[in-house]
Amino acid sequence: MTPGKKLQGLVAATVTPMTPDGQINPSVICQYVDYLVREQNVRNVFVNGTTGEGLSLSVQERKQLAEEWVHQGKDKLDHVVVHVGALSLAESQELARHAAAIGASGIAVIAPFFFKPTHKVRVEEMLDGIKEQIPTFQGVKFSDTDLLDLAQCVNKNEREQFAFLYGVDEQLLSALAIGADGAVGSTYNYLGQKTNLMLQAFAKPDLVLARKYQFLIGEFLSFVIKLGFGVAQTKAVMTFVSGIPMGPPRLPLVDASEEFTVKAKAKLESILWPDGH
């Protein structure tokens, strides 16, 4: 990992490779790291989140995966962020202590989701005084579509140097325009290189080119969402794009259908990207 380097750019929300019988398969993570770095130009990962089926894994499995990502990412990845949210506070604390002990770059956490707040909590409000409560707080994975809230976060917290990473892949360009530092998402596992070209175009700025990439990424996502697109389907796409066997999801999710895989592969191969590849 790279100490002190701000988390920015693309962060792949990693899938958890599994064997055909549904056991975790850490043996392919070395290959997975090399694929992200070499093929997708992605050097940050977000481990054991929703895409990684974190809440379907045991505490021991989550620890084992975190250890493997940190170990295999050494000198290759810039940041390994480990998601430690759990339905049990004690388990979340245990996972957080473990992530610190193994040298993860940081932790991310989501609150137990059966405690519903009585009103929508704006991130802008949550950040007020947060450094006093959590001195090591670094930033937010912002996965709402409320860009006004994100804009207010960016505007009010420039001095704090918080990282604001957007979590809705199909409208990342909109978030970049109002100051997002980067993004966390599942598509950066297999469309990282294309999204990086969008980031480069935006930075120039060549907004016409940036929009072309965003529109084409959106075209693919719109297509697969209509077919039914979730963790199982993401694993199927990753398997055919990367050549690394990601296996099935864990029950109660069921594997992507052969029909989905054939259609998604054909759609992805049919897209004519501006870079000609």
Side-chain angles (χ1 to χ4, degrees):
M1 307 325 105
T2 311
K5 186 171 183 181
K6 185 176 179 181
L7 181 56
Q8 58 189 4
L10 299 184
V11 184
T14 57
V15 304
T16 294
M18 291 188 182
T19 61
D21 63 350
Q23 300 302 307
I24 63 169
N25 184 17
S27 66
V28 300
I29 289 175
C30 177
Q31 191 181 352
Y32 196 161
V33 169
D34 288 341
Y35 160 80
L36 287 175
V37 172
R38 293 174 187 166
E39 303 297 325
Q40 300 298 340
N41 194 24
V42 170
R43 290 177 170 78
N44 306 299
V45 294
F46 185 97
V47 177
N48 291 340
T50 303
T51 303
E53 302 173 80
L55 292 172
S56 294
L57 305 172
S58 69
V59 167
Q60 190 51 46
E61 286 174 324
R62 290 173 71 169
K63 287 181 176 180
Q64 191 179 345
L65 288 161
E67 287 170 16
E68 194 66 17
W69 276 103
V70 169
H71 172 65
Q72 298 297 344
K74 192 176 188 308
D75 301 324
K76 292 180 181 178
L77 298 174
D78 289 340
H79 294 286
V80 176
V81 176
V82 178
H83 174 252
V84 301
L87 298 183
S88 154
L89 178 59
E91 286 185 0
S92 188
Q93 290 169 327
E94 182 183 345
L95 288 165
R97 283 191 291 268
H98 176 263
I102 64 174
S105 312
I107 59 169
V109 64
I110 190 170
F113 44 74
F114 49 72
F115 297 125
K116 299 288 187 192
T118 54
H119 66 284
K120 181 179 176 180
V121 179
R122 293 174 63 79
V123 179
E124 174 199 356
E125 298 164 8
M126 186 197 78
L127 294 177
D128 284 339
I130 200 163
K131 272 285 192 183
E132 285 72 48
Q133 298 288 326
I134 311 171
T136 56
F137 183 84
Q138 295 297 310
V140 174
K141 179 194 173 195
F142 191 104
S143 293
D144 202 340
T145 53
D146 183 350
L147 293 175
L148 173 59
D149 187 12
L150 177 60
Q152 291 296 96
C153 290
V154 172
N155 185 39
K156 287 174 63 176
N157 293 281
E158 281 179 323
R159 285 171 309 193
E160 296 281 4
Q161 289 294 295
F162 292 156
F164 293 101
L165 302 167
Y166 199 55
V168 186
D169 304 14
E170 54 269 37
Q171 54 191 62
L172 172 56
L173 186 57
S174 307
L176 293 175
I178 54 171
D181 297 292
V184 180
S186 61
T187 65
Y188 312 132
N189 284 289
Y190 53 89
L191 287 174
Q193 193 237 358
K194 302 305 181 190
T195 309
N196 271 314
L197 291 171
M198 183 181 83
L199 296 184
Q200 290 168 23
F202 177 78
K204 275 185 176 178
D206 183 342
L207 296 183
V208 172
L209 182 57
R211 279 199 297 268
K212 281 182 183 172
Y213 278 107
Q214 185 69 95
F215 292 161
L216 290 171
I217 291 165
E219 183 182 323
F220 175 72
L221 289 174
S222 179
F223 179 84
V224 291
I225 286 167
K226 285 173 187 167
L227 296 177
F229 193 57
V231 171
Q233 290 72 25
T234 295
K235 287 185 131 172
V237 173
M238 262 302 282
T239 297
F240 73 67
V241 173
S242 70
I244 304 168
M246 294 298 169
R250 181 159 284 181
L251 291 170
L253 297 180
V254 295
D255 210 352
S257 67
E258 182 65 26
E259 181 189 11
F260 169 87
T261 303
V262 168
K263 287 182 175 179
K265 190 169 190 285
K267 180 63 177 177
L268 197 55
E269 289 172 350
S270 75
I271 294 175
L272 297 173
W273 299 96
D275 60 335
H277 296 97

